[in-house]
Amino acid sequence: MAMSSGNESGSPMSEINVTPLVDVMLVLLIIFMITAPLMSHRIRVDLPTANPKTTDTPPLTPPMDLAIKEDGNMFLNDDSNPITDTELKSKFAVFAAMSPQPELQIRAAKDTEFKIVRKVLGEAKDSGMVHVGFMTTGKE
């Protein structure tokens, strides 16, 4: 007679071995027992409290207004004298170095060629101007 281990059908055993699970749980328990006292803060610091009712108002800098006529003449800040390209580049460099930087607002006439506006945008970008806007009228 052959020795039988109680599994006469020859099917695999379906019991779970809990020993590795218990080992892992004990290791985790030891880790948490060691790190829990370190979680308490020993140094007390008076932290600032935030007041949601206050708003920070950025310092107001007047925008840089550039008007471009149909013939390509440019006028800065409603000045009656047209500004040349070199003067405009130097003004861009001055305004780009300001902190906070003013916004460049471009008002181009309806019939102005786009290549003139594109050239002005390129010069503004090359000098470091970041805030550029286009001014239009609300009518069609």
Side-chain angles (χ1 to χ4, degrees), residues 32-137:
F32 284 128
M33 287 173 55
I34 291 172
T35 58
L38 301 176
M39 300 283 289
S40 65
H41 301 288
R42 300 209 185 272
I43 300 172
R44 294 288 172 199
V45 178
D46 292 331
L47 298 175
T49 56
N51 188 357
K53 293 180 176 48
T54 61
T55 57
D56 293 337
T57 56
L60 298 174
T61 56
M64 192 176 160
D65 184 31
L66 180 67
I68 305 175
K69 295 268 192 178
E70 296 91 359
D71 57 358
N73 286 335
M74 294 177 278
F75 300 90
L76 187 62
N77 294 332
D78 291 330
D79 190 13
S80 59
N81 298 326
I83 190 168
T84 63
D85 286 340
T86 56
E87 291 174 341
L88 186 63
K89 285 180 186 179
S90 65
K91 292 282 187 183
F92 282 159
V94 168
F95 282 115
M98 293 176 114
S99 178
Q101 191 180 92
E103 179 182 11
L104 171 63
Q105 296 177 348
I106 299 176
R107 292 184 298 131
K110 184 168 44 172
D111 299 328
T112 305
E113 293 184 18
F114 181 71
K115 67 180 180 180
I116 298 171
V117 177
R118 186 181 66 204
K119 182 176 65 108
V120 170
L121 283 174
E123 291 172 358
K125 181 183 175 212
D126 291 341
S127 65
M129 295 291 291
V130 178
H131 307 288
V132 178
F134 291 98
M135 305 297 290
T136 62
T137 58

Side-chain angles (χ1 to χ4, degrees), residues 17-45:
N17 190 0
V18 243
T19 307
L21 177 66
V22 172
D23 289 344
V24 169
M25 293 308 242
L26 286 174
V27 168
L28 286 176
L29 179 67
I30 291 171
I31 289 173
F32 284 128
M33 287 173 55
I34 291 172
T35 58
L38 301 176
M39 300 283 289
S40 65
H41 301 288
R42 300 209 185 272
I43 300 172
R44 294 288 172 199
V45 178

